[in-house]
Amino acid sequence: TIQQVKFGVNYGVSRLAFTNASAAANAADRAAVPDLLAENEKVTGGVYYSLTKNLTLLGEVSRVWTIAHNDGENKSTDVDFGAFLAF
């Protein structure tokens, strides 16, 4: 924090596995849903300016990666600007 400006970074990852423990059942799950998501990962950096006690202006940049069990993937970069009102 520098006066009314706050900087922040957030990172998170979630993983999803097939539920069946046996190799044969796991293979059946993979055949039925080959593009099931295996992992979502996100990192966000933000700048937050306290205009008043209850009003904060913000800007954030996020990078998101998604990987499926069949090695398919999707990536995106998101930029957000806005205001947060607390009451």
Side-chain angles (χ1 to χ4, degrees):
T1 303
I2 302 172
Q3 295 180 0
Q4 290 99 342
V5 180
K6 186 183 296 186
F7 300 91
V9 175
N10 182 36
Y11 172 78
V13 62
S14 62
R15 293 182 177 89
L16 180 63
F18 290 103
T19 59
N20 288 308
S22 73
N26 196 318
D29 283 351
R30 287 179 181 276
V33 191
D35 54 354
L36 180 70
L37 297 181
E39 183 174 294
N40 285 317
E41 189 172 356
K42 180 180 175 185
V43 62
T44 300
V47 178
Y48 311 90
Y49 178 77
S50 296
L51 196 59
T52 67
K53 179 181 175 184
N54 296 350
L55 181 61
T56 301
L57 304 178
L58 60 99
E60 295 179 334
V61 176
S62 296
R63 182 73 173 146
V64 181
W65 301 268
T66 300
I67 300 172
H69 283 278
N70 65 359
D71 294 328
E73 67 178 355
N74 190 7
K75 299 177 184 177
S76 74
T77 301
D78 307 311
V79 178
D80 302 299
F81 298 98
F84 177 78
L85 178 62
F87 54 94

Coordinates of all heavy atoms in Angstrom, one line a residue:
T1 N 0.8 -1.2 0.0 CA 0.0 0.0 0.0 C 0.9 1.2 0.0 O 1.8 1.3 0.8 CB -0.9 0.0 1.2 OG1 -1.7 -1.2 1.2 CG2 -1.8 1.2 1.2
I2 N 0.6 2.2 -0.9 CA 1.2 3.5 -0.9 C 0.1 4.5 -0.9 O -0.6 4.7 -1.8 CB 2.1 3.6 -2.2 CG1 3.1 2.5 -2.3 CG2 2.7 5.0 -2.3 CD1 3.9 2.5 -3.6
Q3 N 0.0 5.2 0.3 CA -1.1 6.1 0.5 C -2.4 5.5 0.2 O -2.8 4.5 0.8 CB -0.9 7.4 -0.2 CG 0.4 8.2 0.3 CD 0.6 9.4 -0.5 OE1 -0.1 9.8 -1.4 NE2 1.7 10.1 -0.1
Q4 N -3.2 6.0 -0.8 CA -4.5 5.4 -1.1 C -4.5 4.3 -2.1 O -5.5 3.8 -2.5 CB -5.5 6.5 -1.6 CG -5.9 7.5 -0.6 CD -5.1 8.8 -0.7 OE1 -4.0 8.8 -1.3 NE2 -5.5 9.9 -0.1
V5 N -3.3 4.0 -2.6 CA -3.2 2.9 -3.7 C -2.7 1.6 -3.1 O -1.7 1.6 -2.3 CB -2.2 3.4 -4.7 CG1 -2.0 2.4 -5.8 CG2 -2.6 4.7 -5.3
K6 N -3.4 0.6 -3.4 CA -3.1 -0.8 -2.9 C -2.8 -1.6 -4.2 O -3.5 -1.6 -5.2 CB -4.2 -1.4 -2.2 CG -3.9 -2.7 -1.5 CD -5.2 -3.3 -0.8 CE -5.6 -2.4 0.3 NZ -6.7 -3.0 1.1
F7 N -1.7 -2.5 -4.1 CA -1.4 -3.4 -5.1 C -1.6 -4.8 -4.7 O -1.4 -5.1 -3.5 CB 0.1 -3.2 -5.5 CG 0.5 -1.8 -6.0 CD1 0.9 -0.9 -5.1 CD2 0.3 -1.5 -7.3 CE1 1.2 0.4 -5.5 CE2 0.6 -0.2 -7.7 CZ 1.1 0.7 -6.8
G8 N -2.0 -5.7 -5.6 CA -2.3 -7.0 -5.1 C -2.0 -8.0 -6.3 O -2.1 -7.7 -7.4
V9 N -1.6 -9.2 -5.9 CA -1.4 -10.4 -6.8 C -2.1 -11.6 -6.2 O -2.1 -11.8 -5.0 CB 0.1 -10.7 -7.0 CG1 0.3 -11.9 -7.8 CG2 0.8 -9.5 -7.6
N10 N -2.8 -12.3 -7.0 CA -3.5 -13.5 -6.6 C -3.2 -14.7 -7.6 O -3.2 -14.4 -8.8 CB -5.0 -13.3 -6.5 CG -5.8 -14.5 -6.0 OD1 -5.3 -15.2 -5.1 ND2 -6.9 -14.7 -6.5
Y11 N -3.0 -15.9 -7.0 CA -2.7 -17.0 -7.9 C -3.6 -18.2 -7.4 O -3.7 -18.4 -6.1 CB -1.3 -17.4 -7.8 CG -1.0 -18.7 -8.5 CD1 -0.9 -18.8 -9.9 CD2 -0.8 -19.9 -7.8 CE1 -0.6 -20.0 -10.5 CE2 -0.6 -21.1 -8.4 CZ -0.5 -21.2 -9.7 OH -0.3 -22.4 -10.4
G12 N -4.2 -19.0 -8.3 CA -4.9 -20.1 -7.9 C -4.9 -21.2 -8.9 O -4.8 -20.9 -10.1
V13 N -5.0 -22.4 -8.5 CA -5.1 -23.6 -9.4 C -6.1 -24.6 -8.9 O -6.1 -24.8 -7.7 CB -3.7 -24.2 -9.7 CG1 -3.1 -24.7 -8.4 CG2 -3.7 -25.2 -10.8
S14 N -6.8 -25.2 -9.8 CA -7.7 -26.3 -9.4 C -7.5 -27.5 -10.3 O -7.3 -27.3 -11.5 CB -9.2 -25.9 -9.3 OG -9.6 -25.5 -10.6
R15 N -7.5 -28.7 -9.8 CA -7.3 -29.9 -10.6 C -8.5 -30.8 -10.5 O -9.0 -31.0 -9.4 CB -6.0 -30.6 -10.2 CG -4.8 -29.7 -10.5 CD -3.5 -30.4 -10.1 NE -2.4 -29.6 -10.4 CZ -1.8 -28.7 -9.6 NH1 -2.3 -28.5 -8.4 NH2 -0.8 -28.0 -10.0
L16 N -8.9 -31.5 -11.6 CA -10.0 -32.4 -11.6 C -9.5 -33.7 -12.2 O -9.0 -33.7 -13.3 CB -11.1 -31.8 -12.4 CG -12.4 -32.6 -12.6 CD1 -13.0 -32.8 -11.2 CD2 -13.4 -31.9 -13.5
A17 N -9.7 -34.8 -11.4 CA -9.3 -36.1 -11.9 C -10.5 -36.9 -12.2 O -11.6 -36.7 -11.7 CB -8.4 -36.8 -10.8
F18 N -10.3 -38.0 -13.0 CA -11.4 -39.0 -13.1 C -11.6 -39.7 -11.8 O -10.7 -39.9 -11.1 CB -11.0 -39.9 -14.2 CG -11.1 -39.3 -15.6 CD1 -9.9 -39.0 -16.3 CD2 -12.3 -39.1 -16.2 CE1 -9.9 -38.4 -17.5 CE2 -12.3 -38.5 -17.5 CZ -11.1 -38.1 -18.1
T19 N -12.8 -40.1 -11.5 CA -13.1 -40.6 -10.2 C -12.9 -42.1 -10.0 O -12.7 -42.5 -8.9 CB -14.6 -40.3 -9.8 OG1 -15.5 -41.0 -10.8 CG2 -14.9 -38.8 -9.8
N20 N -12.9 -42.8 -11.0 CA -12.8 -44.3 -10.9 C -11.3 -44.7 -10.6 O -10.4 -44.2 -11.2 CB -13.3 -45.0 -12.1 CG -14.8 -45.0 -12.2 OD1 -15.5 -45.3 -11.3 ND2 -15.3 -44.5 -13.3
A21 N -11.2 -45.6 -9.6 CA -9.8 -46.0 -9.2 C -9.3 -47.1 -10.1 O -8.0 -47.1 -10.3 CB -9.9 -46.5 -7.8
S22 N -10.1 -48.0 -10.6 CA -9.6 -49.1 -11.4 C -9.2 -48.6 -12.8 O -9.8 -47.7 -13.3 CB -10.6 -50.2 -11.5 OG -11.7 -49.8 -12.4
A23 N -8.2 -49.2 -13.4 CA -7.7 -48.8 -14.7 C -8.7 -49.0 -15.8 O -8.9 -48.1 -16.6 CB -6.4 -49.6 -15.0
A24 N -9.5 -50.0 -15.7 CA -10.6 -50.3 -16.8 C -11.7 -49.2 -16.7 O -12.1 -48.7 -17.7 CB -11.1 -51.7 -16.6
A25 N -12.1 -48.9 -15.5 CA -13.2 -47.9 -15.3 C -12.6 -46.5 -15.6 O -13.4 -45.7 -16.2 CB -13.7 -47.9 -13.9
N26 N -11.4 -46.2 -15.3 CA -10.8 -45.0 -15.6 C -10.7 -44.8 -17.2 O -11.0 -43.7 -17.7 CB -9.4 -44.8 -15.0 CG -8.9 -43.4 -15.0 OD1 -9.0 -42.7 -15.9 ND2 -8.2 -43.1 -13.9
A27 N -10.3 -45.9 -17.9 CA -10.3 -45.8 -19.3 C -11.6 -45.6 -19.9 O -11.8 -44.8 -20.9 CB -9.7 -47.1 -19.9
A28 N -12.7 -46.2 -19.3 CA -14.0 -45.9 -19.8 C -14.4 -44.5 -19.6 O -15.1 -43.9 -20.4 CB -15.0 -46.9 -19.0
D29 N -14.1 -43.9 -18.4 CA -14.4 -42.5 -18.2 C -13.7 -41.6 -19.2 O -14.3 -40.7 -19.7 CB -13.9 -42.1 -16.8 CG -14.8 -42.5 -15.7 OD1 -15.9 -43.0 -16.0 OD2 -14.5 -42.4 -14.5
R30 N -12.4 -41.9 -19.5 CA -11.7 -41.1 -20.5 C -12.3 -41.2 -21.9 O -12.3 -40.2 -22.6 CB -10.2 -41.6 -20.5 CG -9.4 -41.2 -19.3 CD -8.0 -41.7 -19.4 NE -7.2 -41.3 -18.2 CZ -6.6 -40.1 -18.0 NH1 -6.6 -39.2 -19.0 NH2 -5.9 -39.9 -16.9
A31 N -12.8 -42.4 -22.2 CA -13.4 -42.6 -23.5 C -14.7 -41.8 -23.6 O -15.1 -41.2 -24.6 CB -13.6 -44.0 -23.8
A32 N -15.5 -41.8 -22.5 CA -16.8 -41.2 -22.5 C -16.7 -39.6 -22.5 O -17.5 -38.9 -23.1 CB -17.6 -41.6 -21.2
V33 N -15.7 -39.1 -21.8 CA -15.5 -37.6 -21.6 C -14.1 -37.3 -21.8 O -13.4 -36.9 -20.9 CB -16.0 -37.1 -20.2 CG1 -16.1 -35.6 -20.2 CG2 -17.3 -37.7 -19.8
P34 N -13.6 -37.4 -23.1 CA -12.1 -37.1 -23.3 C -11.7 -35.7 -23.1 O -10.5 -35.4 -22.8 CB -11.9 -37.5 -24.8 CG -13.3 -37.3 -25.4 CD -14.3 -37.7 -24.3
D35 N -12.6 -34.7 -23.2 CA -12.2 -33.3 -23.1 C -12.5 -32.8 -21.7 O -12.7 -31.6 -21.5 CB -12.8 -32.5 -24.2 CG -14.3 -32.6 -24.3 OD1 -14.9 -33.5 -23.5 OD2 -14.9 -31.9 -25.0
L36 N -12.7 -33.7 -20.7 CA -12.9 -33.2 -19.3 C -11.7 -32.3 -18.9 O -10.6 -32.7 -19.1 CB -13.0 -34.4 -18.4 CG -13.3 -34.1 -16.9 CD1 -14.7 -33.5 -16.7 CD2 -13.1 -35.3 -16.0
L37 N -12.0 -31.2 -18.2 CA -11.0 -30.3 -17.8 C -10.1 -31.0 -16.7 O -10.6 -31.6 -15.8 CB -11.6 -29.0 -17.2 CG -12.4 -28.2 -18.1 CD1 -12.9 -27.0 -17.4 CD2 -11.6 -27.8 -19.3
A38 N -8.8 -30.9 -16.9 CA -7.9 -31.4 -15.9 C -7.4 -30.4 -15.0 O -7.1 -30.7 -13.8 CB -6.7 -32.1 -16.7
E39 N -7.2 -29.1 -15.5 CA -6.6 -28.1 -14.6 C -7.0 -26.7 -15.1 O -7.0 -26.4 -16.3 CB -5.1 -28.2 -14.7 CG -4.3 -27.3 -13.8 CD -2.8 -27.5 -13.8 OE1 -2.4 -28.6 -13.3 OE2 -2.1 -26.7 -14.3
N40 N -7.3 -25.9 -14.1 CA -7.6 -24.4 -14.4 C -6.6 -23.7 -13.5 O -6.4 -24.0 -12.3 CB -9.0 -24.0 -13.9 CG -10.0 -24.4 -14.9 OD1 -9.9 -24.3 -16.1 ND2 -11.1 -24.9 -14.4
E41 N -5.9 -22.7 -14.1 CA -4.9 -21.9 -13.4 C -5.1 -20.5 -13.7 O -5.4 -20.1 -14.9 CB -3.5 -22.4 -13.9 CG -2.4 -21.9 -13.1 CD -1.1 -22.5 -13.5 OE1 -1.1 -23.4 -14.4 OE2 0.0 -22.1 -13.0
K42 N -5.0 -19.6 -12.7 CA -5.2 -18.2 -13.0 C -4.3 -17.3 -12.1 O -4.1 -17.7 -10.9 CB -6.7 -17.8 -12.6 CG -7.0 -16.4 -12.8 CD -8.5 -16.1 -12.4 CE -8.8 -14.7 -12.5 NZ -10.2 -14.4 -12.0
V43 N -3.8 -16.3 -12.7 CA -3.0 -15.3 -11.9 C -3.5 -13.9 -12.2 O -3.9 -13.6 -13.4 CB -1.5 -15.4 -12.2 CG1 -1.1 -15.1 -13.7 CG2 -0.7 -14.5 -11.3
T44 N -3.7 -13.1 -11.2 CA -4.3 -11.8 -11.4 C -3.4 -10.8 -10.6 O -3.0 -11.0 -9.5 CB -5.7 -11.7 -10.8 OG1 -6.6 -12.7 -11.4 CG2 -6.3 -10.3 -10.9
G45 N -3.2 -9.6 -11.3 CA -2.5 -8.5 -10.7 C -3.5 -7.3 -10.7 O -4.2 -7.1 -11.7
G46 N -3.5 -6.6 -9.6 CA -4.5 -5.5 -9.6 C -3.9 -4.2 -8.9 O -3.0 -4.3 -8.1
V47 N -4.5 -3.1 -9.2 CA -4.2 -1.8 -8.6 C -5.6 -1.3 -8.1 O -6.5 -1.2 -8.9 CB -3.6 -0.8 -9.6 CG1 -3.3 0.5 -8.9 CG2 -2.3 -1.4 -10.1
Y48 N -5.6 -0.8 -6.8 CA -6.9 -0.4 -6.2 C -6.6 1.0 -5.6 O -5.7 1.1 -4.8 CB -7.3 -1.4 -5.2 CG -7.3 -2.8 -5.7 CD1 -6.1 -3.6 -5.6 CD2 -8.4 -3.4 -6.4 CE1 -6.1 -4.9 -6.2 CE2 -8.3 -4.6 -6.9 CZ -7.2 -5.4 -6.8 OH -7.2 -6.7 -7.3
Y49 N -7.5 1.9 -6.0 CA -7.3 3.3 -5.5 C -8.5 3.6 -4.6 O -9.7 3.6 -5.1 CB -7.2 4.3 -6.6 CG -7.1 5.7 -6.2 CD1 -5.9 6.2 -5.7 CD2 -8.2 6.6 -6.2 CE1 -5.8 7.5 -5.2 CE2 -8.1 7.9 -5.8 CZ -6.9 8.3 -5.3 OH -6.8 9.6 -4.9
S50 N -8.3 3.9 -3.3 CA -9.4 4.3 -2.4 C -9.8 5.8 -2.7 O -9.1 6.7 -2.2 CB -9.0 4.1 -1.0 OG -8.8 2.7 -0.8
L51 N -10.8 6.0 -3.4 CA -11.3 7.4 -3.7 C -11.9 8.0 -2.4 O -11.6 9.1 -2.1 CB -12.3 7.4 -4.8 CG -12.6 8.7 -5.5 CD1 -11.3 9.3 -6.1 CD2 -13.6 8.5 -6.6
T52 N -12.7 7.2 -1.7 CA -13.3 7.6 -0.4 C -13.2 6.3 0.4 O -12.8 5.3 0.0 CB -14.8 8.1 -0.6 OG1 -15.6 7.0 -1.0 CG2 -14.9 9.2 -1.6
K53 N -13.8 6.4 1.7 CA -13.8 5.3 2.6 C -14.6 4.1 2.0 O -14.3 3.0 2.2 CB -14.4 5.7 3.9 CG -14.5 4.6 4.9 CD -15.1 5.1 6.2 CE -15.3 3.9 7.2 NZ -15.9 4.3 8.4
N54 N -15.7 4.5 1.2 CA -16.6 3.5 0.7 C -16.4 3.2 -0.8 O -17.1 2.3 -1.3 CB -18.0 3.8 1.0 CG -18.3 3.8 2.5 OD1 -17.5 3.4 3.3 ND2 -19.4 4.4 2.9
L55 N -15.6 4.0 -1.5 CA -15.6 3.9 -3.0 C -14.1 3.6 -3.4 O -13.2 4.4 -3.1 CB -16.1 5.1 -3.7 CG -16.1 5.1 -5.2 CD1 -16.9 4.0 -5.7 CD2 -16.6 6.4 -5.7
T56 N -13.9 2.5 -4.1 CA -12.6 2.1 -4.6 C -12.6 1.9 -6.1 O -13.5 1.2 -6.6 CB -12.1 0.8 -3.9 OG1 -12.1 1.0 -2.5 CG2 -10.7 0.4 -4.4
L57 N -11.7 2.6 -6.8 CA -11.5 2.4 -8.2 C -10.5 1.3 -8.4 O -9.5 1.2 -7.7 CB -11.1 3.6 -8.9 CG -12.0 4.9 -8.7 CD1 -11.4 6.1 -9.4 CD2 -13.4 4.6 -9.2
L58 N -10.7 0.4 -9.4 CA -9.8 -0.7 -9.6 C -9.5 -1.0 -11.0 O -10.3 -0.7 -11.9 CB -10.3 -2.0 -8.9 CG -11.7 -2.5 -9.4 CD1 -11.5 -3.6 -10.3 CD2 -12.5 -2.9 -8.2
G59 N -8.3 -1.6 -11.2 CA -7.9 -2.1 -12.5 C -7.2 -3.4 -12.3 O -6.3 -3.5 -11.4
E60 N -7.5 -4.5 -13.0 CA -7.0 -5.8 -12.9 C -6.6 -6.4 -14.2 O -7.3 -6.2 -15.2 CB -7.9 -6.7 -12.2 CG -8.2 -6.4 -10.7 CD -9.2 -7.3 -10.1 OE1 -10.0 -8.0 -10.8 OE2 -9.1 -7.4 -8.8
V61 N -5.6 -7.2 -14.2 CA -5.2 -8.0 -15.4 C -5.1 -9.4 -15.0 O -4.4 -9.7 -14.0 CB -3.9 -7.5 -16.0 CG1 -3.5 -8.4 -17.2 CG2 -4.0 -6.1 -16.5
S62 N -5.7 -10.4 -15.7 CA -5.7 -11.8 -15.3 C -5.3 -12.6 -16.5 O -5.6 -12.3 -17.6 CB -7.1 -12.3 -14.9 OG -7.5 -11.6 -13.7
R63 N -4.5 -13.6 -16.2 CA -4.1 -14.6 -17.2 C -4.7 -16.0 -16.8 O -4.4 -16.4 -15.6 CB -2.6 -14.7 -17.3 CG -2.0 -15.6 -18.3 CD -2.3 -15.1 -19.8 NE -1.6 -15.9 -20.7 CZ -2.0 -16.2 -21.9 NH1 -3.1 -15.7 -22.3 NH2 -1.3 -17.0 -22.7
V64 N -5.4 -16.6 -17.7 CA -6.1 -17.9 -17.3 C -5.6 -19.0 -18.3 O -5.6 -18.7 -19.5 CB -7.6 -17.7 -17.4 CG1 -8.3 -19.0 -17.1 CG2 -8.1 -16.6 -16.5
W65 N -5.3 -20.1 -17.7 CA -4.9 -21.3 -18.6 C -5.9 -22.5 -18.2 O -6.1 -22.7 -17.0 CB -3.5 -21.8 -18.3 CG -2.4 -20.9 -18.5 CD1 -1.7 -20.7 -19.6 CD2 -1.9 -19.9 -17.5 NE1 -0.7 -19.7 -19.4 CE2 -0.8 -19.3 -18.2 CE3 -2.2 -19.6 -16.2 CZ2 -0.1 -18.3 -17.5 CZ3 -1.4 -18.7 -15.6 CH2 -0.4 -18.0 -16.2
T66 N -6.4 -23.2 -19.2 CA -7.2 -24.3 -18.9 C -6.6 -25.5 -19.8 O -6.4 -25.3 -21.0 CB -8.7 -24.1 -19.3 OG1 -9.2 -23.0 -18.5 CG2 -9.5 -25.3 -19.1
I67 N -6.4 -26.6 -19.2 CA -5.9 -27.8 -19.8 C -6.9 -29.0 -19.6 O -7.3 -29.2 -18.5 CB -4.5 -28.2 -19.3 CG1 -3.5 -27.0 -19.6 CG2 -4.0 -29.4 -20.0 CD1 -2.2 -27.2 -18.9
A68 N -7.2 -29.7 -20.7 CA -8.1 -30.8 -20.6 C -7.3 -32.1 -20.5 O -6.1 -32.1 -20.8 CB -9.0 -30.9 -21.8
H69 N -8.0 -33.2 -20.1 CA -7.3 -34.5 -20.0 C -6.8 -35.0 -21.4 O -5.8 -35.8 -21.4 CB -8.2 -35.5 -19.4 CG -8.3 -35.4 -17.9 ND1 -7.4 -35.9 -17.0 CD2 -9.2 -34.8 -17.1 CE1 -7.7 -35.6 -15.8 NE2 -8.8 -34.9 -15.8
N70 N -7.4 -34.5 -22.5 CA -6.9 -34.9 -23.8 C -5.8 -34.0 -24.4 O -5.6 -33.9 -25.5 CB -8.1 -35.0 -24.8 CG -8.8 -33.7 -25.0 OD1 -8.4 -32.7 -24.5 ND2 -9.8 -33.7 -25.9
D71 N -5.2 -33.2 -23.5 CA -4.2 -32.2 -23.8 C -4.7 -31.0 -24.6 O -3.9 -30.2 -25.0 CB -3.0 -32.8 -24.5 CG -2.3 -33.8 -23.6 OD1 -2.2 -33.6 -22.4 OD2 -1.8 -34.8 -24.2
G72 N -6.0 -30.8 -24.8 CA -6.5 -29.6 -25.3 C -6.3 -28.5 -24.3 O -6.3 -28.7 -23.1
E73 N -6.2 -27.3 -24.8 CA -6.0 -26.2 -23.9 C -6.6 -24.9 -24.4 O -6.9 -24.7 -25.6 CB -4.5 -25.9 -23.6 CG -3.7 -25.4 -24.7 CD -2.2 -25.2 -24.4 OE1 -1.8 -25.3 -23.2 OE2 -1.4 -24.9 -25.2
N74 N -6.8 -24.0 -23.5 CA -7.4 -22.7 -23.8 C -6.7 -21.7 -22.9 O -6.5 -21.9 -21.7 CB -8.9 -22.7 -23.5 CG -9.6 -21.4 -24.1 OD1 -9.0 -20.6 -24.7 ND2 -10.9 -21.3 -23.7
K75 N -6.3 -20.5 -23.4 CA -5.7 -19.4 -22.7 C -6.4 -18.1 -22.9 O -6.9 -17.9 -24.0 CB -4.2 -19.3 -23.1 CG -3.4 -20.5 -22.9 CD -2.0 -20.3 -23.4 CE -1.1 -21.6 -23.3 NZ 0.2 -21.4 -23.8
S76 N -6.4 -17.3 -21.9 CA -7.0 -15.9 -22.2 C -6.3 -14.9 -21.2 O -5.8 -15.3 -20.2 CB -8.5 -15.9 -21.9 OG -8.8 -16.0 -20.6
T77 N -6.4 -13.7 -21.7 CA -5.9 -12.6 -20.9 C -7.1 -11.6 -20.8 O -7.7 -11.2 -21.8 CB -4.7 -11.9 -21.6 OG1 -3.6 -12.8 -21.7 CG2 -4.2 -10.7 -20.7
D78 N -7.4 -11.3 -19.5 CA -8.6 -10.4 -19.3 C -8.1 -9.1 -18.6 O -7.3 -9.2 -17.7 CB -9.6 -11.1 -18.4 CG -10.0 -12.5 -18.9 OD1 -10.3 -12.5 -20.1 OD2 -9.9 -13.4 -18.1
V79 N -8.7 -8.0 -19.0 CA -8.4 -6.7 -18.4 C -9.7 -6.1 -17.9 O -10.7 -6.1 -18.7 CB -7.7 -5.7 -19.4 CG1 -7.5 -4.4 -18.8 CG2 -6.5 -6.3 -20.0
D80 N -9.7 -5.7 -16.7 CA -10.9 -5.2 -16.0 C -10.7 -3.9 -15.4 O -9.7 -3.7 -14.7 CB -11.5 -6.2 -15.0 CG -11.7 -7.6 -15.5 OD1 -12.6 -7.7 -16.4 OD2 -11.1 -8.5 -15.1
F81 N -11.6 -3.0 -15.5 CA -11.6 -1.7 -14.8 C -13.0 -1.5 -14.2 O -14.0 -2.0 -14.7 CB -11.4 -0.5 -15.8 CG -10.1 -0.6 -16.4 CD1 -9.9 -1.1 -17.7 CD2 -8.9 -0.1 -15.8 CE1 -8.7 -1.2 -18.4 CE2 -7.7 -0.2 -16.4 CZ -7.6 -0.7 -17.7
G82 N -13.0 -0.9 -13.0 CA -14.3 -0.8 -12.4 C -14.3 0.0 -11.1 O -13.3 0.6 -10.8
A83 N -15.4 -0.1 -10.3 CA -15.5 0.6 -9.0 C -16.1 -0.4 -8.1 O -17.0 -1.2 -8.5 CB -16.3 1.8 -9.1
F84 N -15.7 -0.3 -6.8 CA -16.3 -1.1 -5.7 C -16.9 -0.2 -4.7 O -16.2 0.7 -4.2 CB -15.2 -2.0 -5.1 CG -15.7 -2.8 -4.0 CD1 -16.4 -4.0 -4.2 CD2 -15.4 -2.4 -2.7 CE1 -16.8 -4.7 -3.1 CE2 -15.8 -3.1 -1.6 CZ -16.5 -4.3 -1.8
L85 N -18.2 -0.4 -4.4 CA -18.9 0.4 -3.5 C -19.2 -0.4 -2.3 O -19.9 -1.4 -2.4 CB -20.1 1.0 -4.1 CG -21.0 1.9 -3.2 CD1 -20.2 3.1 -2.7 CD2 -22.3 2.3 -3.9
A86 N -18.7 0.0 -1.1 CA -19.0 -0.7 0.2 C -20.0 0.1 1.0 O -19.9 1.3 1.0 CB -17.7 -1.0 1.0
F87 N -21.0 -0.6 1.5 CA -21.9 0.1 2.4 C -22.4 -0.8 3.5 O -22.2 -1.9 3.6 CB -23.1 0.6 1.6 CG -23.8 -0.4 0.8 CD1 -24.9 -1.1 1.3 CD2 -23.4 -0.7 -0.5 CE1 -25.6 -2.0 0.6 CE2 -24.1 -1.7 -1.2 CZ -25.2 -2.3 -0.7

